Amino acid sequence: LRQWWIGVLAGYLVPFLVMIIMLTGFFTGNSSYTTYRQGGVDIVIDGRLTVAGWWSALHSAVMMGVIGGLVALVIWRIAYRRVVTRTRA
């Protein structure tokens, strides 16, 4: 599995999933905040994410996924480039 798109997909999915798990409190149950507002919008109310909170988490996860995908593409390009060897005459 050395295709560029597999590297980009893996580079996107890993940070995306990690961010979703971290930001939504997937494994810890509810958020540690009881109520949290950001920019005048309620993100967490009574320890639960609001719709705006889910959109904020999704937006952050997508952005981190894009960055991870770009990094993976650069790494793939460097790792699988053709090596030109020159021989001395």
Side-chain angles (χ1 to χ4, degrees):
L1 300 175
R2 295 182 179 185
Q3 292 84 6
W4 68 269
W5 60 272
I6 292 177
V8 171
L9 183 65
Y12 178 85
L13 284 177
V14 171
F16 176 83
L17 293 174
V18 168
M19 287 297 289
I20 285 291
I21 289 169
M22 285 175 46
L23 293 173
T24 61
F26 186 74
F27 287 121
T28 60
N30 294 337
S31 174
S32 61
Y33 296 106
T34 56
T35 301
Y36 176 69
R37 292 178 64 98
Q38 180 179 358
V41 177
D42 289 329
I43 301 295
V44 177
I45 298 176
D46 295 330
R48 295 190 179 258
L49 282 173
T50 62
V51 173
W54 280 99
W55 278 112
S56 175
L58 183 64
H59 179 264
S60 298
V62 167
M63 294 307 292
M64 290 303 289
V66 168
I67 292 168
L70 291 173
V71 169
L73 182 62
V74 170
I75 291 172
W76 174 86
R77 182 70 183 127
I78 292 170
Y80 293 109
R81 70 177 185 264
R82 288 188 178 168
V83 177
V84 178
T85 57
R86 295 181 184 184
T87 58
R88 293 184 178 190

